[in-house]
Amino acid sequence: MSRYVRKAEAVVEAWKKRYGVMPSKHAVVLVCAVAEHETQCGDAWGFSHNWGAIQRRVLTAEERAVATAGGTPNPKDAFEELHGDSSPVHGRYQTWFWKFPDDVQGADKLLQVLLDNRSAIKAHTDTLGTDELARLMYLSHYYEGFHDPRPKPDEAVAPGGLTLGQLANIADYARAIARTSAALEAGLAGWTPGQPHIPEDPNSLDLTTIAGVQLALAQLGYNPGPADGQNGPRTIAAVNKFQTEHQPDAGPVDGIAGPTTRAALAVLLAKVTSTS
């Protein structure tokens, strides 16, 4: 079973437990797109299963003193761990983030924060596009971005009363989740919420083409972007990551899907499919 299918099915399980109904595929892709951008669907940070980079609490005065002195404060329980974050206004800081034992609990927390706490998003999960999702998330303070949101001297008022910095933050986030959404759509081709997963036959992918390589990488969870047949930066980065993890001694790690890399892709696809 591919990584994207595992993540999608974690969302389905969390969704059914929280809402008592089956989510649409579009809703699952939106949730996973945010999670993939934020923390690789919980795989970042040593697999802490925090799907949305969701903060739990700020440091106490005593904990800040320990951190300032170069130490590491101890967590209060098993559900939090310390990470750095940044604000375009206040700079870098440390704070406590949620930590969970598995993907379903991580996905459930993201559903709570992203949907239950944001009714405008929850009401339209079946139809919402990535541009509007990014806008609603920003206006409800889910993320800050990297551009200073404060208006510059003599700055003209943008549509909606937003500053140029705010518009840039929304545009950045929209582009990011559009990329992850496209990769998820490719990786979840043939998958339907609630239906048994039928793995794609690896022999049906033409790995002699860039599009075939992109589909294979997406099925394995390497986020190459859409299967458009173009060897762009996202595809090159995905190939590079695959080479680093699966063929470090079999040739150069150069982001080029040559014969050795294509053969390794075929072997791993066959292995994943046979164990699904």
Side-chain angles (χ1 to χ4, degrees), residues 6-44:
R6 291 198 307 273
K7 300 302 182 180
E9 293 190 345
V11 173
V12 170
E13 185 174 346
W15 193 290
K16 289 192 299 182
K17 288 180 178 179
R18 178 166 286 272
Y19 304 126
V21 296
M22 185 72 67
S24 68
K25 183 174 182 178
H26 185 81
V28 172
V29 170
L30 279 187
V31 171
C32 286
V34 170
E36 183 71 4
H37 170 61
E38 291 287 349
T39 63
Q40 296 179 318
C41 289
D43 291 349

Side-chain angles (χ1 to χ4, degrees), residues 232-268:
R234 299 287 295 180
T235 299
I236 293 171
V239 172
N240 194 303
K241 184 178 180 183
F242 175 84
Q243 290 172 326
T244 300
E245 295 180 356
H246 293 284
Q247 52 177 109
D249 301 319
V253 176
D254 54 9
I256 299 173
T260 301
T261 297
R262 295 171 196 265
L265 280 170
V267 170
L268 187 57

Side-chain angles (χ1 to χ4, degrees), residues 194-254:
Q195 298 297 318
H197 174 57
I198 302 175
E200 185 170 1
D201 181 0
N203 295 319
S204 69
L205 297 179
D206 184 0
L207 296 179
T208 65
T209 68
I210 295 175
V213 169
Q214 289 170 323
L215 287 170
L217 289 166
Q219 188 171 341
L220 294 170
Y222 282 90
N223 194 8
D228 56 7
Q230 302 298 312
N231 196 31
R234 299 287 295 180
T235 299
I236 293 171
V239 172
N240 194 303
K241 184 178 180 183
F242 175 84
Q243 290 172 326
T244 300
E245 295 180 356
H246 293 284
Q247 52 177 109
D249 301 319
V253 176
D254 54 9

Side-chain angles (χ1 to χ4, degrees), residues 52-94:
I54 300 168
Q55 296 183 10
R56 189 184 191 194
R57 66 180 179 88
V58 299
L59 274 68
T60 65
E62 293 78 12
E63 290 168 340
R64 284 197 300 272
V66 171
T68 301
T72 302
N74 293 320
K76 288 185 176 180
D77 55 43
F79 290 95
E80 65 182 21
E81 63 182 18
L82 193 67
H83 292 285
D85 206 340
S86 65
S87 163
V89 174
H90 304 294
R92 294 201 60 81
Y93 61 94
Q94 287 187 304

Side-chain angles (χ1 to χ4, degrees), residues 115-256:
L115 303 186
D116 290 356
N117 295 354
R118 292 169 168 80
S119 59
I121 296 176
K122 185 179 180 182
H124 301 287
T125 52
D126 292 343
T127 58
L128 205 60
T130 52
D131 286 352
E132 182 63 5
L133 175 60
R135 188 185 73 85
L136 291 173
M137 290 175 68
Y138 186 79
L139 294 180
S140 59
H141 309 293
Y142 188 100
Y143 65 92
E144 289 190 82
F146 300 102
H147 304 276
D148 192 331
R150 294 170 294 190
K152 298 177 175 60
D154 302 321
E155 179 180 302
V157 177
L162 298 175
T163 67
L164 294 179
Q166 290 173 321
L167 290 174
N169 286 324
I170 294 172
D172 285 351
Y173 204 90
R175 283 192 294 269
I177 57 175
R179 287 194 298 269
T180 55
S181 177
L184 283 154
E185 289 283 5
L188 294 174
W191 175 85
T192 301
Q195 298 297 318
H197 174 57
I198 302 175
E200 185 170 1
D201 181 0
N203 295 319
S204 69
L205 297 179
D206 184 0
L207 296 179
T208 65
T209 68
I210 295 175
V213 169
Q214 289 170 323
L215 287 170
L217 289 166
Q219 188 171 341
L220 294 170
Y222 282 90
N223 194 8
D228 56 7
Q230 302 298 312
N231 196 31
R234 299 287 295 180
T235 299
I236 293 171
V239 172
N240 194 303
K241 184 178 180 183
F242 175 84
Q243 290 172 326
T244 300
E245 295 180 356
H246 293 284
Q247 52 177 109
D249 301 319
V253 176
D254 54 9
I256 299 173

